[in-house]
Amino acid sequence: MNFGVIVFPGSNGDHDALHALGEVLGQPTRAIWHRETSLDGIDCVVVPGGFAYGDYLRAGAIARFSPIMGAVERFARAGGPVLGICNGFQVLTEAQLLPGSLLRNAELEFRSQWVRVRVERADTPFTSGLTAGEVLHLPIAHGEGSYFAAPEELARIEANGQVIFRYCDPTGEITPATNFNGSLNHIAGVCNERRNVVGLMPHPERATEAILGGDDGRRILESALSVAGVRV
Amino acid sequence: MSESNSATWLAHVYVTLKTVVNDPQGLAIADGLHTMGYGGVEDVRAGKYLQVRLRAASAEEAQRLAEEMSDRLLANTVIENYRCVIEPAS
């Protein structure tokens, strides 16, 4: 499977994603500079973490108008699998490829730590190898990850099953103590209505090898392979 | 986009969080003001203020363009409201 990792000025999770997909998963993987305008030959797009354009104005706001984003939007609207990680999630909400928005963390702190998230749905390209209800151990590193959607939109995405991951405790329970960034309904990741675009604040690409502290993230990335019929 | 008969305008763009959006920054600022002794402070909401100098044929056109820019980039209408005030640029 040919992965494309979008690189904006200020991306810093791009090399982690390139390593995880290219070295750990052993897939042909290409960095795609934001000035490019084509995704020809790409089967799966990853919008990585970082601080694209310095997060100026709003996280993801300026990146969303980068030349490559036209191709990403066409790819997504044609049903191609797109994964937005952390800042990439913010870019995809700004591009309106994903619902809602990500606000400053409730405690105003930048949080860099390992968290647990509960898989809510297995019917997306990035959770097909997972089971609804299971708990993943993943790192987060963000200052603006507090998920927000207007009440009617929140109700709609919940009803549609578009909430894919929620912050939880090690047993999968949703408790106030696990909602460290103030996300509505503990939301850590969502998908679009068509379910081919997924965004999440945790970093699966930083949890693909035991030496890094955990490899649960590898299963998220590997899920994309099974959808495309590719085997590792 | 600029036309020979166009003038330069200054758009003051005020971007504010919608009332349904929690504003931890505003709450922290309010806390600070209370600590300083401003007990009369009831609420603080933090927003953004931008100045956009632009060329347009009329004030109405400048207004339209500033609002379009706000819709598309300057504000995220999922979480923010905006207001544009146009004046001739000096």
Side-chain angles (χ1 to χ4, degrees), chain A residues 10-222:
Chain A
S11 293
N12 67 12
D14 47 343
H15 285 277
D16 293 338
L18 291 166
H19 172 78
L21 298 165
E23 304 298 321
V24 181
L25 265 58
Q27 299 298 312
T29 303
R30 183 161 76 86
I32 300 173
W33 183 235
H34 72 120
R35 287 281 170 204
E36 294 187 41
T37 54
S38 164
L39 290 169
D40 285 352
I42 298 298
D43 305 309
C44 180
V45 172
V46 173
V47 187
F51 299 87
Y53 289 89
D55 274 358
Y56 296 154
L57 193 61
R58 292 179 310 278
I62 300 173
R64 172 249 188 286
F65 289 102
S66 276
I68 193 61
M69 286 305 294
V72 172
E73 285 179 44
R74 286 190 297 277
F75 184 84
R77 302 213 188 279
V82 178
L83 179 67
I85 299 167
C86 195
N87 193 220
F89 183 11
Q90 296 162 338
V91 172
L92 295 177
T93 61
E94 283 284 341
Q96 296 174 18
L97 292 171
L98 286 173
S101 186
L102 294 141
L103 305 172
R104 187 77 61 93
N105 290 351
E107 303 296 332
L108 295 170
E109 290 177 333
F110 188 97
R111 289 297 195 99
S112 178
Q113 65 190 69
W114 286 74
V115 300
R116 290 193 162 78
V117 296
R118 190 174 74 194
V119 178
E120 299 293 289
R121 302 280 297 221
D123 56 351
T124 78
F126 303 99
T127 53
S128 60
L130 305 169
T131 309
E134 74 172 299
V135 176
L136 303 181
H137 193 216
L138 296 170
I140 52 133
H142 62 250
E144 295 179 44
S146 183
Y147 187 81
F148 173 86
E152 55 283 11
E153 182 159 50
L154 186 65
R156 189 169 63 243
I157 66 171
E158 288 282 7
N160 286 346
Q162 288 175 248
V163 176
I164 305 305
F165 300 105
R166 284 184 222 272
Y167 301 109
C168 67
D169 75 7
T171 67
E173 289 301 309
I174 306 294
T175 67
T178 62
N179 195 6
F180 58 88
N181 65 12
S183 290
L184 291 180
N185 296 7
H186 289 236
I187 292 172
V190 298
C191 72
N192 62 342
E193 270 189 50
R194 193 168 172 173
R195 316 193 73 79
N196 60 307
V197 181
V198 171
L200 77 169
M201 290 311 297
H203 286 273
E205 83 289 9
R206 293 179 188 170
T208 57
E209 295 160 282
I211 195 171
L212 298 176
D215 56 4
D216 283 357
R218 176 175 178 156
R219 297 175 56 212
I220 291 177
L221 303 177
E222 278 180 350

Side-chain angles (χ1 to χ4, degrees), chain A residues 103 148, chain B residues 17-24 45 78-80:
Chain A
L103 305 172
F148 173 86
Chain B
L17 281 175
K18 290 183 176 177
T19 51
V20 293
V21 176
N22 185 35
D23 179 15
R45 304 282 287 173
V78 173
I79 52 171
E80 294 167 328

